[in-house]
Amino acid sequence: MAAHIGRRLRKGAATTAVAAAAVAALSASQAPGATVDDQGRQNTGDATSAPDTAADDSATGNSPYYTDLPPLNSPAPSPSAGSGEAGDRSAAEAGIPATVLDAYKKAEAALREKKAGCNLPWQLLAAIGKVESGQARGGRVTADGTTVTPILGPQLDGNGFALIRDTDNGAYDGNRMYDQAVGPMQFIPSTWDWAGRDGNGDGRKDPNNIYDAALAAGHYLCRFDWDLSQQGDLRKAILSYNNSTDYLNTVLSWLEFYRRGTHEIPDGTGALPVDRSDDTARPGVTPSAPGTTPPARPGTRPGKPSGSRPSPSPAAPGDGGSPSTPPVTPPPTPTDTVHHLEDAGTGTLTAMAGHTFAERISTRAETEAGKAVAKVRIRFTLVGDTDTTFAGGETVATVTTDASGVAVAPALQAGERTGAFAVQAAVVGRSVKGVPYKATVTERAADALALAGEQEPTCVAGGEFAEPVQVKATYRGEAAGKVAVTATLVTSADDPAENDKGPYFKDADGKAVRSLTGLKTDADGRLTLPKLYADDTAGTFLLRLTTAGGATLDVKLTVEPAAAPSPDPDPSTDPTPSTDPSTEPSETPAA
């Protein structure tokens, strides 16, 4: 322990001295509004205090993390490029194990496709991975990215840490009493349950797999449509991962370090961090480090030497011994007091395909006596055959109840699949009566159609219309895209039956058809119909267009008579003198 303290003191003095000389250089590459303190940590303008959120309302449950800071000098491109001790450390810290680095970059590419507006840099995943697990304990992973041994944080039993009782029956962390952060990105089970992703395509969502965990972390950081190229959104995203200003500053420091340059190193050879935020959380107890195997029994801290914290035995009456200290029972959490959930006035949940639901789901957490319970995590899960999602593209959302006990789910975004589905509200970490909400997605509709061209179509009998019919659909004044349209050549304005003469379309075989279905407007609400042809019947005809939602438009089609052919000339009336010699008069010789 003395050696450990001495090492930390020497490191602190050295870091302070180096930081004082290098602040200007490091600050030059900071994002706008960021500064560096005397320990090399980044401080950001409005992040002097972390938001007031529950510990389990974060990816890690605000679990302990590594506090080692990167070197202040820029990383060298390779281990051989460093000069001296500082250069060697900088080069070593810039090395990221090959499989781990590949997982970060693949996650960035996936998010660039799914949520391009988030602008997630892989270096942010690397910074969080460094702070959470030392890049999966220096890259100790198998070929498919699974950690050689499970990486577990300490149990969140309220004793120096947050209090989060078991939410997964020990499925992820092996602990049936309390939750523990799991894997290289340190997700608590209740968060992994909805945030987990399959990043390596093996059909499983494993928090101990770096591909799965990195992709899940990327989606988690992008879940609120944050733009991580903006400093404010970047800070919010990092704080949502672990609600600590020190954590924020540590991650930002590594982010800037990795942005200056990294290189790939073999798996299992990465530099391992040492100092942790829980070094003094429990005086007299050696802090555990992520990377150990699951605890032998529920309630023990991972990685703690056996017997280092023996349970006191009660003294027998009359033996003269001192009675043992009774075990400390953590006070009940707000979650423990929830008896049931109630709907908090949610209206009808209906939206058109592709549109946002106007109504949002509101759920109230109550005790058995009907009193509101604040600071309780409510999980909203979409159930059924639907492609509807919450804002940000997620099918699960977790929201903490406010002072009135109400949690309001993010807005629902309807997909293209129509029909009914459900949203189930439940308390995270408790098996209590939840609330199901029914929702419906209707087909896209338009309430108005208008002819896009300036003139009504005209054609000569037996010919074809020179210009195709173009229309535009709108809904409440806005362009109605992807709306189904039916086009029928009707008998008359009062008779919607299909006409058997006049203009017609052609099918794939070139045969005449006078009704078309399956037409859809484009994203701007416009539709160009196929070419129209005319038979030999002249007159005025009607093309009727209808959409879901009741929009109707009658387009008048005019077919003019064909020009009459010129008659053959009658020789008996031809005034042209004949040139037939037989008809010419004979000349009479002069007398």
Side-chain angles (χ1 to χ4, degrees):
M1 177 62 73
H4 174 70
I5 295 174
R7 176 184 55 74
R8 292 194 65 192
L9 289 174
R10 289 193 300 273
K11 178 183 176 184
T15 301
T16 302
V18 173
V23 164
L26 182 58
S27 298
S29 68
Q30 305 293 337
T35 59
V36 181
D37 65 12
D38 60 0
Q39 296 298 314
R41 294 185 178 91
Q42 291 190 27
N43 291 314
T44 51
D46 60 355
T48 54
S49 61
D52 181 17
T53 58
D56 59 348
D57 195 22
S58 66
T60 69
N62 298 337
S63 294
Y65 56 90
Y66 286 110
T67 58
D68 294 47
L69 295 170
L72 291 180
N73 56 310
S74 298
S78 66
S80 61
S83 58
E85 183 178 350
D88 290 342
R89 178 174 179 252
S90 179
E93 292 290 4
I96 299 179
T99 300
V100 178
L101 180 60
D102 184 55
Y104 296 150
K105 291 184 176 181
K106 278 185 167 57
E108 179 197 55
L111 268 296
R112 189 184 305 121
E113 178 182 351
K114 295 291 186 181
K115 298 180 180 179
C118 181
N119 293 306
L120 172 78
W122 67 261
Q123 292 91 340
L124 176 58
L125 297 176
I128 291 176
K130 178 70 173 182
V131 170
E132 294 294 349
S133 68
Q135 310 298 17
R137 301 299 293 156
R140 294 182 64 241
V141 296
T142 60
D144 70 345
T146 303
T147 57
V148 175
T149 56
I151 299 178
L152 292 171
Q155 68 177 14
L156 301 173
D157 58 5
N159 187 11
F161 307 117
L163 173 59
I164 305 178
R165 302 190 193 281
D166 176 57
T167 62
D168 66 330
N169 199 29
Y172 295 120
D173 55 13
N175 190 334
R176 296 186 179 182
M177 292 183 65
Y178 303 98
D179 272 352
Q180 295 174 243
V182 183
M185 304 304 279
Q186 290 288 278
F187 280 96
I188 55 174
S190 61
T191 301
W192 181 262
D193 190 53
W194 63 265
R197 294 291 191 281
D198 176 16
N200 63 351
D202 64 356
R204 300 175 61 240
K205 300 176 182 178
D206 182 3
N208 285 299
N209 181 280
I210 185 59
Y211 287 100
D212 295 358
L215 184 59
H219 277 277
Y220 184 91
L221 294 165
C222 293
R223 69 195 186 283
F224 289 135
D225 289 334
W226 282 324
D227 179 357
L228 302 187
S229 66
Q230 301 297 318
Q231 191 70 4
D233 283 356
L234 175 64
R235 290 195 294 268
K236 292 175 186 176
I238 296 172
L239 285 170
S240 78
Y241 210 89
N242 190 312
N243 188 24
S244 161
T245 303
D246 287 340
Y247 179 88
L248 167 70
N249 293 333
T250 305
V251 169
L252 288 175
S253 295
W254 283 106
L255 171 60
E256 287 303 319
F257 180 78
Y258 288 139
R259 276 175 166 165
R260 294 183 176 193
T262 60
H263 57 272
E264 180 183 299
I265 59 174
D267 289 343
T269 64
L272 295 177
V274 177
D275 297 322
R276 287 169 51 81
S277 62
D278 62 339
D279 279 353
T280 59
R282 298 181 180 186
V285 179
T286 302
S288 62
T292 56
T293 55
R297 60 181 177 82
T300 60
R301 296 186 68 202
K304 186 176 178 181
S306 176
S308 63
R309 191 183 182 188
S311 300
S313 301
D319 65 358
S322 299
S324 62
T325 303
V328 178
T329 302
T333 66
T335 301
D336 296 328
T337 67
V338 178
H339 178 265
H340 61 273
L341 296 179
E342 293 285 349
D343 175 40
T346 306
T348 302
L349 295 170
T350 302
M352 190 187 303
H355 289 238
T356 301
F357 282 71
E359 188 73 17
R360 293 173 64 176
I361 298 173
S362 296
T363 302
R364 176 181 163 95
E366 297 183 352
T367 65
E368 186 173 7
K371 294 184 178 179
V373 185
K375 296 185 178 181
V376 174
R377 294 183 82 204
I378 306 299
R379 179 184 297 135
F380 299 93
T381 305
L382 274 67
V383 181
D385 186 17
T386 180
D387 57 354
T388 295
T389 64
F390 290 108
E394 305 294 344
T395 58
V396 178
T398 304
V399 181
T400 303
T401 57
D402 59 19
S404 62
V406 174
V408 180
L412 286 166
Q413 177 66 44
E416 295 302 321
R417 192 172 302 162
T418 60
F421 66 97
V423 180
Q424 181 68 39
V427 179
V428 176
R430 289 290 308 279
S431 296
V432 300
K433 179 185 176 183
V435 181
Y437 295 88
K438 294 182 179 180
T440 304
V441 177
T442 61
E443 64 180 319
R444 289 176 178 263
D447 55 17
L449 280 171
L451 192 63
E454 296 181 358
Q455 297 181 348
E456 293 180 340
T458 302
C459 177
V460 176
E464 60 185 51
F465 288 81
E467 297 294 334
V469 175
Q470 294 184 331
V471 296
K472 181 171 183 179
T474 56
Y475 182 77
R476 296 179 180 176
E478 300 292 334
K482 300 181 181 180
V483 173
V485 179
T486 298
T488 304
L489 290 148
V490 298
T491 303
S492 68
D494 300 324
D495 186 355
E498 183 179 305
N499 206 338
D500 60 356
K501 57 185 177 180
Y504 60 89
F505 300 105
K506 287 184 180 180
D507 63 12
D509 297 325
K511 295 180 180 179
V513 294
R514 290 185 167 86
S515 184
L516 296 178
T517 59
L519 304 172
K520 281 192 175 182
T521 60
D522 63 16
D524 296 326
R526 293 183 176 275
L527 171 65
T528 300
L529 273 65
K531 180 175 287 189
L532 277 164
Y533 301 86
D535 61 15
D536 294 334
T537 307
T540 300
F541 302 88
L542 286 182
L543 170 63
R544 179 162 292 172
L545 303 172
T546 58
T547 72
T552 301
L553 174 66
D554 284 344
V555 180
K556 186 170 70 172
L557 305 177
T558 301
V559 178
E560 298 175 347
S566 300
D568 293 332
D570 185 353
S572 63
T573 60
D574 188 355
T576 305
S578 173
T579 58
D580 186 349
S582 64
T583 62
E584 293 291 329
S586 299
E587 292 187 1
T588 302

